[in-house]
Every structure is written in C-alpha cells, then in structure tokens.
Amino acid sequence: METLLNDFSVGLFFMQALILLIVIVLMRVFAWKPILDALQTREDGIQEALESAENAKLEMQNLQANNEKLLKEARAERESMLKEAREMKEKMIEDAKTQAQEEANKMVSNAQLAIENEKKAAVAELKSQVANLSIEIAEKVVREELSNKDKQAKLVESMLSEATLN
Amino acid sequence: MVATKSIKFLVVFVLALTSFTAFAQEEVVENNLVDSPDEIREFIAHHLKDSHDFHLYTDNASGKHYGFPLPVIVWTSNGLKTFMSSEFHHDDNGEVVVDKDGTKIVKYHTKIYELDEGAAALSFDEAHHPTNASKVIDFSITKSVFGMILTGLLMLIGFSSLARGYKKGNTVPKGFSRVLEPLVIYVRDEIAKPNIGDKKYRKFMGFLLTVFFFIFILNILGLTPLGFNVTGQIAVTACLAIFTMVIYLFSGTKDFWAHTLWMPGVPIILRPILAVIELLGFVVIKPFSLLVRLFANITAGHFVVMSLMALMVSLKADFGPVASTGMSLILSLFIMFIELLVAFLQAFIFTMLSSLFIGMAVEEHDEHH
Amino acid sequence: MYNLIGAGIIVIGGGIGLGQIGGKAMESIARQPEAAGKIQTAMIIIGALLEGLAFGALILGK
C-alpha cells in the first residue's frame, strides 16, 4: 500500500484526466457520434427494408389473389358467353329448322292442293269425255239397236230386268 | 490507391521491423547488463514504473543509450520549469543536478525531486528516502503520457476514418475500419445496451467506447517491446475509475439516491447503516475495485512475462544457453497469448462494470416496495 | 507479516470462490447450452468482482 501510494503520481493523474477528457470530447465529436448515427441509420434502413419487403410480399400476395379473382371472373364470363352463343346457335338452328319445316309443309300442301286441283280438272275432263264418248257410243249403239226390232225389245227387256234388280 | 496502400504497408512493415529489432536488443540488454537475480528484479521494477525518456535499449559495450528524450514539465516552489529529460543524462540516482534559474532538480528512482535551499547534492536516510529534497508535481510528458497521447491519436485517426467512410456514403466500411466496426457494435450491443437499458445507453456511449478502446489499445501497446506500462500505472487506472464514479454519481436518478440513502422496505433502524454501506460501496469500494483490478492485472502480466524472459538469464548457469533460452521463449510465448486475452478481457471488464454501475444509477424502479 | 498472512487467506478464499463460479458456470452451460452467452457474461462479471476483492486484499496487505 505504501509503495503504491508512493508510486502514485499526481502529475500523471492530472495528465491522464486531461488527456482522457480531451480524447472523450474529440472522439465524441469526430468519431462516436457519426459512427453511432451511421450505424443507427443503417440498422433503421435494414429494418425498413425488411418491413417494406414484408409489405411488398403481402401486396404481392394480394395482387396474386386479385389476379386469381379476375381470372376466375374472366373465365366465368367466357363460359357464360360461350354458353349463350351455343344456346343462340341452337335456337337459330331450331328456328331455321322449324321455318324450313313450315315452308316445306306449306309447299307440300300447296303442291298437294295443286295436284288435287289438277286431278279434279283431269277427272272432270275425263268424265266429260267419257260422257261424250259414251253418249256417242250409246248413240251409235242405239241407232244400231233401234235398227233391229228384236234387238230393241231384248234390250228393253234386259234393261227392265236390271232395273228390277236395282 | 495503390500508392497509399503500399505506403501503409511500408509503414506497418517498418514498424514491425523496428519493434522486432528493439525486442532483440532488449534481450541484449538482459544479456549484457542484467545477469543476477537482484539486477533482474531491479530491471523489472524499473520497467513497471514510469520513465521520463523513451528508452529503447542500451549498448552496454559503448555505453550508448538508444531512444529519445521527452519533455519534463514540473511545478516547483519557484513555478513551472520545463526542459528536456536529456539534461538528466540518463541518471536515475539523483546524481545529476539540473539547475533551472536557481531551482535544483534531480531525478531519483523515476521521481523528480527539488533540492532544498542550499543543498548541492541529494542525501538519503537508511531506507533510501531522500532527506533534503521535496517531491514536485510532475506534469511531464512521461513515457506513459506519451503512450496515452499516441493511443488517443491512433483512436482519433482510426475511428474518424471509419466515421468519414460512413459520411462518404458507403454503408459497409472498407479496410481497417472493417475491424473496428464490429468492436464498436460489440461494445454497444453486448456491454452498454444490456446493462444500461435501451433508452438511456446513448448518452454514455461516448465515455464507454472511449474507455474501452483506450484501455484495450494501451494494454496491447504494453505487450509490444516498446515497453509501455500505462495501464499498470496506478494513477492512470485511478483516473479512469474516478471518471466512472463521477459519471454514475452525477447521472444517478432520484430513485437511485432514494434507494441508496433511505432504502425503502427495510426497518427504519437499519436504514442509516445501509445508507452508509451503500454510499461507501458506490463512492469507495466500486471505484477502488475497478482501479485495482486493472492495475494489478496488467502489472502482474508484465511481471510474469518479464520474469519468464529473465529465466533465460537466471537458468543459464544450470541448463546452458540453448535450453534456458528455449524454455523462456516457450513459456513467455504461452503467457504472451494469455496476456493478449487479458488485454481484451480487462478492457471488457472495465467497460462492463462501468456500464453496470451506470445502469444501477440510472435505473428507474417501476414498482415501489 | 500478519497482513501478508491475511492477504494470503483472502487470496485462498478468492481462489475457492473463483473455482466455484467457474465450476457452476460450466455445469449450467452443460445443462443449458443455449444460455451459454448469458452465463459466461455473468460468470465474468462475478469473477471480476471477486478478483477485485482478492487484488484489493493483496494490495492492502502488501
């Protein structure tokens, strides 16, 4: 203890205090403050970057979800549009079919009508011709028959019998 | 860029070389000058003390001293006297008397004395204490002061370059600063923040960082063959400890003083006793343990390293020069590595305990018991 | 003379204490390796306080 106290130099103590004070002040101004500030800003920057990265990730996820939704919607729309188109097509075909059917039916009926008319006309003509022919034939036959008495009588007879049968 | 780099390299190289030759020559000193146990003891004791000139080695054959003198600044009864230490002509036994305007100044065992009026030479009593001289207040730039200034400059250069690097905009430091940055972050995150608290640590960072690097660099300098023993000077460690004490006493919160002087939750009779104990703890015991720990560790380290180096002298007669030198080399190398650890550890401990004490002083107690 | 003996006794006590601290710290690190950092710091602080005591005794006794 005594030797230590003897070794204790007041001057050295004073010089040390002076130097330490100066060094602390100088280091504070020129080194520690800028260094610690820079470290702080760097760490804040890193923190911020991490946070923004996290945010970006979230946003990205949102965006992706949005995209998915949009895609789904688009798909649904396309589906519905396709469906509509298909229906429309079917309807049009159906319509066309029915129309064609109707037209055909009409044409057929017209044709039938025309045929009927033609037939009727033909039949009428045939009838009239047949009547004329039969009248002519009958005239001839009657003339011939009436030229012969027997035959006239026979005819009357047969006709009469026939008539009775009726 | 290349040029500055090569210059840097050259400087480092030359420094390494000179320290190496100085080291080698110190061994020469031991071989030539110091060859008995008494002389070894004296040599070590002399090394552990401060000195007034920067002495590298002595060529004993020609009697020449290598090194450079440092200024002596003393406050005598006749005022401030300044001269270079070369005026003592390497005398340490009080034989050379420097006369400055009638003030007779002598140096005896690294201390500077002022001779009493009328005395021409120093005289001693039986215990080798000077009888006709009084101590002066010695503000000299001694070897320790020189070391401290050197350390301060090194710190200023190193860390301001780190700071400039940040200011230039590179977020990641380059070169040597890359070594310094993790140390700064270490002190901040491992020492200051956990002990003082996240909110208040910033105010004390200047002191803590400065003290940490100051002690660390001085400890490392002490391991070089330049022969600094700054942190082994009790005045230096006392000053560091008193700085810590002043800081934690002056930044103590109301809570701290309440808990120190009038501890709540304790019987009234015991409170004054506790106050005395606490106050004694904060004002005397804590600074004392701080200063003694650093001083004793560094002194002991230097003592052990030098003793092991001296083995090569003291064991030469028994084992021969090769074996004794090899033994001393291996042992001192081993201790040197431990001392490197101690150099860091003591800086760490000092800063750690300082921040612990500061943390105690600035702590806010939420719960009142 | 007596003060040296006292200093010696305190140093012995300090040595025992340091041994205890180191041993217990090793034990707790082995038990909880993830807390090694905290335990080490605490160990160093207590070790330093004890060292201060021992050195104080040594210097006061010398």
Side-chain angles (χ1 to χ4, degrees):
Chain A
M1 195 67 197
E2 267 172 58
T3 45
L4 275 179
L5 282 182
N6 200 38
D7 276 348
F8 187 91
S9 157
V10 181
L12 183 59
F13 180 86
F14 176 79
M15 291 303 277
Q16 154 78 352
L18 193 70
I19 291 171
L20 192 59
L21 213 60
I22 292 170
V23 168
I24 287 175
V25 169
L26 284 181
M27 291 300 276
R28 250 192 118 110
V29 174
F30 288 110
W32 305 135
K33 205 174 144 33
I35 288 173
L36 289 175
D37 285 349
L39 286 177
Q40 195 64 50
T41 42
R42 190 174 72 184
E43 270 149 31
D44 287 350
I46 290 171
Q47 193 65 34
E48 229 165 76
L50 281 177
E51 267 164 25
S52 67
E54 197 65 28
N55 281 348
K57 210 168 127 192
L58 271 179
E59 225 160 273
M60 197 73 176
Q61 266 170 356
N62 277 349
L63 217 67
Q64 230 157 12
N66 258 3
N67 273 357
E68 205 101 311
K69 219 172 97 191
L70 273 177
L71 212 67
K72 216 181 251 175
E73 265 169 28
R75 206 172 285 142
E77 206 165 327
R78 196 190 67 174
E79 206 86 324
S80 70
M81 271 165 85
L82 275 179
K83 206 170 148 198
E84 221 167 281
R86 206 176 294 131
E87 271 168 14
M88 211 183 248
K89 184 188 85 177
E90 258 155 36
K91 204 174 145 216
M92 272 166 85
I93 290 174
E94 200 66 32
D95 280 359
K97 258 188 189 163
T98 43
Q99 219 168 344
Q101 195 69 38
E102 265 170 29
E103 203 82 357
N105 282 354
K106 217 168 156 186
M107 271 164 84
V108 166
S109 59
N110 276 357
Q112 266 172 347
L113 210 63
I115 289 169
E116 200 68 27
N117 288 348
E118 289 295 307
K119 207 174 104 185
K120 269 183 189 157
V123 166
E125 205 173 312
L126 202 65
K127 264 184 184 163
S128 67
Q129 267 184 18
V130 166
N132 284 346
L133 276 177
S134 14
I135 289 168
E136 269 173 39
I137 294 168
E139 219 174 60
K140 280 176 183 165
V141 169
V142 166
R143 215 171 269 165
E144 209 167 304
E145 284 296 305
L146 289 177
S147 53
N148 192 338
K149 261 217 185 138
D150 292 340
K151 272 189 188 173
Q152 261 180 358
K154 224 191 229 172
L155 182 67
V156 171
E157 200 124 320
S158 74
M159 276 174 117
L160 279 175
S161 68
E162 259 172 49
T164 52
L165 265 175
N166 280 344
Chain B
M1 195 61 211
V2 176
T4 53
K5 252 192 185 160
S6 62
I7 286 171
K8 264 187 200 164
F9 174 71
L10 205 67
V11 168
V12 170
F13 187 67
V14 166
L15 269 180
L17 208 67
T18 47
S19 60
F20 212 79
T21 48
F23 186 66
Q25 279 144 358
E26 211 162 18
E27 283 174 11
V28 170
V29 171
E30 293 201 340
N31 271 332
N32 280 353
L33 184 77
V34 184
D35 51 8
S36 74
D38 279 342
E39 280 168 335
I40 290 170
R41 206 170 297 138
E42 198 183 315
F43 186 85
I44 293 174
H46 187 260
H47 162 81
L48 291 179
K49 282 184 179 165
D50 209 355
S51 81
H52 283 84
D53 50 8
F54 202 99
H55 173 249
L56 285 174
Y57 78 107
T58 304
D59 187 353
N60 222 37
S62 63
K64 267 179 95 174
H65 298 277
Y66 291 89
F68 50 89
L70 294 165
V72 175
I73 306 159
V74 286
W75 182 260
T76 65
S77 53
N78 295 330
L80 206 65
K81 302 287 173 208
T82 325
F83 54 95
M84 291 305 277
S85 68
S86 52
E87 291 191 34
F88 284 125
H89 298 293
H90 298 280
D91 165 60
D92 200 30
N93 298 319
E95 283 159 6
V96 177
V97 178
V98 177
D99 198 324
K100 286 280 159 201
D101 313 319
T103 312
K104 296 196 175 64
I105 297 162
V106 294
K107 187 153 76 86
Y108 175 68
H109 285 184
T110 72
K111 293 262 177 257
I112 291 183
Y113 294 88
E114 179 192 1
L115 287 182
D116 292 343
E117 206 70 37
L122 205 58
S123 55
F124 308 99
D125 59 10
E126 290 122 30
H128 292 283
H129 292 304
T131 52
N132 60 346
S134 54
K135 267 194 198 170
V136 292
I137 303 175
D138 184 1
F139 298 120
S140 308
I141 310 295
T142 57
K143 200 172 181 179
S144 296
V145 177
F146 181 76
M148 288 190 284
I149 293 171
L150 187 70
T151 308
L153 284 178
L154 281 177
M155 280 168 70
L156 212 57
I157 292 167
F159 287 102
S160 61
S161 87
L162 176 59
R164 268 202 310 279
Y166 288 126
K167 235 173 234 171
K168 255 189 267 162
N170 31 346
T171 43
V172 177
K174 281 183 186 143
F176 188 60
S177 310
R178 211 178 280 183
V179 185
L180 300 176
E181 194 203 79
L183 284 171
V184 175
I185 295 177
Y186 180 79
V187 172
R188 190 192 60 176
D189 289 352
E190 303 295 322
I191 298 178
K193 266 189 194 171
N195 288 315
I196 302 178
D198 272 349
K199 279 177 207 152
K200 294 181 173 171
Y201 82 99
R202 194 70 162 78
K203 212 167 69 183
F204 305 102
M205 279 311 282
F207 173 71
L208 292 175
L209 280 166
T210 313
V211 161
F212 177 82
F213 287 104
F214 199 72
I215 297 174
F216 184 43
I217 296 172
L218 281 174
N219 285 350
I220 295 286
L221 266 186
L223 295 179
T224 61
L226 297 173
F228 286 113
N229 184 25
V230 187
T231 36
Q233 302 296 332
I234 199 149
V236 173
T237 58
C239 179
L240 288 166
I242 285 171
F243 262 70
T244 301
M245 182 185 81
V246 167
I247 284 176
Y248 68 66
L249 286 185
F250 275 85
S251 54
T253 55
K254 223 169 78 187
D255 271 359
F256 166 72
W257 288 111
H259 276 247
T260 308
L261 299 177
W262 206 244
M263 181 66 108
V266 174
I268 301 276
I269 315 158
L270 284 178
R271 286 186 187 184
I273 305 169
L274 263 180
V276 169
I277 292 172
E278 289 270 314
L279 210 59
L280 216 64
F282 273 107
V283 178
V284 179
I285 296 171
K286 285 183 168 100
F288 186 71
S289 80
L290 271 181
L291 84 91
V292 162
R293 179 177 310 108
L294 183 57
F295 162 76
N297 265 293
I298 301 306
T299 308
H302 280 240
F303 193 87
V304 169
V305 169
M306 294 195 78
S307 305
L308 287 174
M309 280 179 179
L311 271 186
M312 88 177 95
V313 181
S314 48
L315 292 184
K316 196 160 74 176
D318 299 327
F319 295 100
V322 178
S324 64
T325 309
M327 205 152 118
S328 118
L329 199 69
I330 289 166
L331 286 174
S332 47
L333 196 67
F334 175 67
I335 290 295
M336 208 66 166
F337 278 116
I338 292 181
E339 283 305 307
L340 269 178
L341 175 70
V342 168
F344 176 77
L345 204 63
Q346 289 309 316
F348 170 74
I349 292 274
F350 195 98
T351 322
M352 187 77 170
L353 290 176
S354 293
S355 56
L356 198 69
F357 298 154
I358 292 171
M360 281 177 186
V362 300
E363 196 181 8
E364 307 267 0
H365 295 272
D366 293 330
E367 82 289 359
H368 280 275
H369 22 214
Chain C
M1 188 61 199
Y2 294 115
N3 50 8
L4 283 181
I5 293 172
I9 291 171
I10 290 182
V11 170
I12 291 172
I16 294 171
L18 270 179
Q20 290 262 348
I21 295 164
K24 296 285 182 201
M26 289 296 130
E27 249 174 49
S28 23
I29 290 174
R31 204 169 290 159
Q32 271 181 299
E34 67 276 359
K38 275 186 185 171
I39 294 170
Q40 248 164 18
T41 317
M43 178 187 81
I44 288 174
I45 290 176
I46 298 170
L49 289 172
L50 186 57
E51 195 192 39
L53 176 80
F55 274 133
L58 206 59
I59 279 169
L60 288 174
K62 198 178 132 192

